[in-house]
């Protein structure tokens, strides 16, 4: 088990976690207080990008403090981090406030999932610093309380977050499906869109508005278990031909429930839509699924492909108007203490 440095209510620990991109989306909570989702979801933890967070509980402190890349942060992000520490304090019996020092090796407000890696790293650091001895599964349940998708960043490679059915959430946790070395040629070409608007409504609120108002939400719920089973099988067999169309079908289903939410949630720009169209055109021309697009609640697009196709896909997508740049990522590691 992981151990904190220092004790007597003054523990300190550092933890690192990577963002993940969902192949099957989490969107809607059956219990918002416990962050229990309606459906299971499935993701790939990414390499190269990471968040590193140090938590230090200090009996002398009079409030929690959040430092991001060396700058003191106030407002909603600091409030969320402090509320998350309250949950850790409840569990551990630690009563002191803490300083959180966190840094991302990628731009924070860029629309690249920083909440998943952020809360996964914070959960790990806070748990160890407060003397909680948690298994990775239990840590995924703790991270979930900060941001649902953070539960999946506890593990590397392909990860499933099981929705569970129990009201107390004990059967709701993330688990690894296939480690980062399972499919070495699998690539995520991240297409960064120029002037991607920043989120107006937070995901946690936006998704509940979808649950309440989209006429397709529960139809989507009925499709998901079958889709997850097929996606899981295709990943196990490293079968891109089967997997890629399923990923796009899922993304289209997610976008449909967002767009039919009242008021409508539209996360894409014209350039993001051009990327989706270009991926369809690449597949049509090749008469086989060369690539698959997906996006989260933001304008950037993730395009999955295999290593042999990655250069060609990047060239095609990189020259579309409004595309700032592309990054080529692979499967990344589990969250871990430093
Ligand atoms: O973890 P949250 O509350 O930021 O919500 C994430 C929602 C999506 O990114 C759109 C989907 C997902 O499963 O990651």
């Amino acid at each position: 088990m992981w151990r904190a440095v220092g004790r007597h209510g003054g523990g300190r620990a550092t933890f690192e976690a990577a963002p993940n991109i969902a192949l099957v989306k989490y969107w809607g909570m059956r219990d918002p207080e416990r962050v229990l989702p309606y459906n299971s979801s499935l993701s790939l933890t990414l390499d190269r990008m990471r968040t590193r967070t140090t938590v230090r509980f200090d009996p002398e402190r009079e409030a929690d403090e959040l430092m991001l890349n060396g700058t003191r942060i106030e407002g909603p992000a600091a409030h969320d981090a402090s509320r998350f520490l309250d949950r850790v304090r409840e569990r551990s019996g630690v009563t002191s406030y803490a300083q959180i020092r966190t840094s991302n090796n990628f731009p924070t407000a860029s629309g690249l999932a920083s909440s998943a890696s952020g809360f996964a790293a914070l959960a790990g650091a806070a748990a160890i610093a407060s003397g909680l001895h948690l298994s990775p599964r239990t840590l995924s349940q703790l991270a979930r309380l900060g941001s649902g998708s953070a539960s999946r960043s506890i593990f590397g490679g392909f990860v499933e977050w099981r929705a569970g059915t129990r009201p107390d959430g004990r059967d709701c946790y993330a688990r690894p499906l296939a480690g980062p070395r399972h499919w070495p040629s699998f690539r995520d070409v991240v297409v960064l869109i120029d002037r991607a608007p920043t989120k107006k409504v937070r995901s946690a609120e936006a998704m509940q508005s979808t649950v309440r108002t989209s006429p397709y939400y529960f139809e989507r719920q009925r499709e998901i278990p079958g889709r997850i089973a097929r996606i899981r099988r295709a990943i196990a067999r490293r079968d891109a031909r089967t997997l890629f169309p399923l990923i796009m079908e899922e993304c289209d289903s997610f976008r449909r429930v967002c767009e039919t939410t009242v008021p409508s949630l539209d996360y894409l720009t014209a350039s993001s839509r051009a990327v989706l169209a270009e991926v369809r055109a690449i597949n049509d021309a090749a008469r086989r699924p060369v690539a698959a697009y997906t996006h989260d609640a933001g304008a950037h697009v993730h395009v999955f492909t295999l290593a042999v196709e990655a250069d060609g896909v990047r060239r095609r997508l990189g020259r579309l108007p409004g595309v700032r740049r592309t990054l080529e990522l692979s499967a990344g590691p589990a969250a871990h203490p430093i």
Side-chain angles (χ1 to χ4, degrees):
M1 278 293 159
W2 303 312
R3 294 231 171 272
V5 179
R7 272 303 158 95
H8 315 293
R12 170 169 67 82
T14 301
F15 217 77
E16 206 171 79
N20 69 78
I21 175 68
L23 281 61
V24 176
K25 311 294 174 185
Y26 149 56
W27 198 252
M29 294 172 270
R30 62 184 159 91
D31 179 342
E33 177 56 29
R34 294 187 170 85
V35 194
L36 300 176
Y38 275 105
N39 62 270
S40 298
S41 56
L42 207 154
S43 60
L44 178 71
T45 298
L46 301 170
D47 69 348
R48 290 174 52 192
M49 300 200 285
R50 56 188 181 274
T51 301
R52 182 180 283 199
T53 299
T54 300
V55 171
R56 188 157 60 90
F57 287 101
D58 178 357
E60 308 289 299
R61 277 199 163 278
E62 287 176 6
D64 293 321
E65 181 182 59
L66 173 63
M67 306 282 291
L68 171 65
N69 296 329
T71 307
R72 194 190 157 130
I73 301 288
E74 316 235 358
H79 179 257
D80 290 353
S82 188
R83 268 202 48 193
F84 183 80
L85 288 183
D86 288 341
R87 308 255 202 166
V88 174
R89 283 185 278 255
E90 271 162 32
R91 265 154 227 235
S92 62
V94 168
T95 50
S96 35
Y97 291 110
Q99 186 193 48
I100 305 169
R101 271 186 292 128
T102 189
S103 59
N104 292 323
N105 72 346
F106 57 95
T108 303
S110 63
L112 294 168
S114 54
S115 76
S117 56
F119 278 105
L122 178 59
I128 301 173
S130 67
L132 287 173
H133 297 298
L134 304 184
S135 66
R137 175 178 291 188
T138 312
L139 190 56
S140 81
Q141 294 179 308
L142 178 64
R144 186 188 80 217
L145 303 175
S147 160
S149 56
S151 64
R152 298 185 308 240
S153 276
I154 297 302
F155 298 100
F158 293 94
V159 180
E160 181 178 20
W161 169 18
R162 298 175 74 94
T165 54
R166 292 177 59 117
D168 65 7
R170 259 171 39 201
D171 57 353
C172 177
Y173 52 81
R175 58 167 196 147
L177 284 183
R181 279 184 289 275
H182 167 70
W183 196 344
S185 60
F186 197 87
R187 293 290 179 275
D188 175 13
V189 173
V190 185
V191 183
L192 296 172
I193 301 295
D194 256 341
R195 291 189 293 278
T198 48
K199 266 187 218 182
K200 282 183 232 76
V201 186
R202 306 163 122 204
S203 291
E205 286 160 42
M207 62 178 75
Q208 293 313 86
S209 143
T210 298
V211 173
R212 284 192 304 273
T213 62
S214 169
Y216 301 110
Y217 187 73
F218 289 97
E219 182 181 317
R220 166 171 162 74
Q221 286 306 312
R222 285 191 291 278
E223 293 165 7
I224 287 181
R227 192 179 290 135
I228 288 195
R230 286 192 290 278
I231 289 184
R232 228 189 296 155
R233 218 174 304 131
I235 291 170
R237 295 178 181 158
R238 301 183 194 87
D239 175 1
R241 272 181 186 246
T242 306
L243 179 61
F244 288 173
L246 288 167
I247 290 175
M248 291 187 282
E249 177 187 292
E250 161 60 15
C251 177
D252 294 345
S253 155
F254 165 64
R255 192 169 56 259
R256 184 183 191 214
V257 295
C258 289
E259 287 174 354
T260 54
T261 297
V262 184
S264 178
L265 300 166
D266 182 2
Y267 294 113
L268 303 185
T269 67
S271 303
S272 330
R273 289 179 194 280
V275 173
L276 308 191
E278 189 72 359
V279 171
R280 291 189 199 103
I282 290 171
N283 291 342
D284 287 349
R287 294 171 185 271
R288 66 187 167 87
V290 170
Y293 57 71
T294 196
H295 58 80
D296 282 339
H300 304 307
V301 183
H302 292 249
V303 178
F304 300 111
T305 191
L306 298 181
V308 283
E309 314 276 11
D311 282 348
V313 167
R314 286 183 78 177
R315 255 197 314 277
R316 288 275 297 260
L317 301 178
R319 62 179 182 232
L320 294 173
V323 169
R324 188 177 355 127
R325 60 185 283 224
T326 62
L327 308 169
E328 187 180 328
L329 305 179
S330 303
H336 54 274
I338 299 291

